[in-house]
Amino acid sequence: MSSIVRRAAGAFRGEVVEVLDVRKTPRAEWTFPSSPRAVPAARSAVVGRLEAWGLDGVRDTAALLVTELITNSVRHGPGGPIDLRIFAPDAEGGPEVEGGPGTVRIEVRDEDPLPPRPREEVRPEDESGRGLLLLTSLARAWGVHPGLRGKTVWFELAVPG
């Protein structure tokens, strides 16, 4: 059985708050500090959740796009926390997905109110500037929602099969 153990902040050593069967939990949320260390941590969290859900067909693309969005938040954001949410296909209580049934949705929220802007020109020798091009090319749909604190950039991936 694939499960995750949640512990309360400030709990006594070993105190378990709940054990979730991740195969039956259709969403997950994490908050990361605005730090370069957030990038591999977020990527690992998404890959682990997709594997637990048996969604290996979108794992690599999701990992790449999460890496791009978290990196953008760390580089261009004002330094506040970065929230990451993932919704399994057909998750009840989740956002309405543009792509319909069979779609994984991933959201990254940061405190920068400005939407991401694609670079006008990216040269082959440039080390950055391709994130939104990848998002446009690989995601079924993507967009930006302004919020009370910053913005949320979301994307959706079609689950093969």
Side-chain angles (χ1 to χ4, degrees):
M1 175 172 120
S2 180
S3 63
I4 185 167
V5 176
R6 289 192 180 179
R7 302 182 189 280
F12 293 106
R13 187 188 330 239
E15 181 182 9
V16 174
V17 174
E18 63 184 315
V19 178
L20 301 174
D21 181 346
V22 295
R23 292 170 298 181
K24 296 177 183 173
T25 306
R27 65 184 286 166
E29 299 181 39
W30 302 271
T31 298
F32 301 98
S34 183
S35 158
R37 292 179 301 190
V39 177
R43 183 174 49 242
S44 177
V46 166
V47 165
R49 182 50 57 110
L50 290 170
E51 287 175 349
W53 285 338
L55 300 175
D56 294 344
V58 296
R59 180 191 62 217
D60 294 340
T61 302
L64 174 63
L65 297 179
V66 163
T67 298
E68 293 296 331
L69 292 182
I70 297 291
T71 298
N72 283 350
S73 291
V74 169
R75 279 192 181 163
H76 305 294
I82 300 168
D83 298 323
L84 171 63
R85 299 190 321 167
I86 181 171
F87 300 90
D90 311 318
E92 289 185 27
E96 187 171 324
V97 294
E98 302 285 324
T103 302
V104 171
R105 181 178 173 111
I106 298 177
E107 301 176 346
V108 175
R109 190 203 66 77
D110 63 34
E111 294 186 356
D112 184 1
L114 299 175
R117 292 188 334 258
R119 297 246 311 255
E120 294 294 320
E121 182 179 327
V122 181
R123 299 176 310 223
E125 63 272 14
D126 289 343
E127 293 184 14
S128 64
R130 293 177 184 81
L132 294 180
L133 295 172
L134 288 170
L135 193 60
T136 300
S137 297
L138 299 174
R140 174 183 263 182
W142 75 276
V144 181
H145 291 297
L148 296 175
R149 288 184 11 233
K151 66 175 175 312
T152 299
V153 180
W154 58 269
F155 67 89
E156 296 174 354
L157 299 172
V159 176

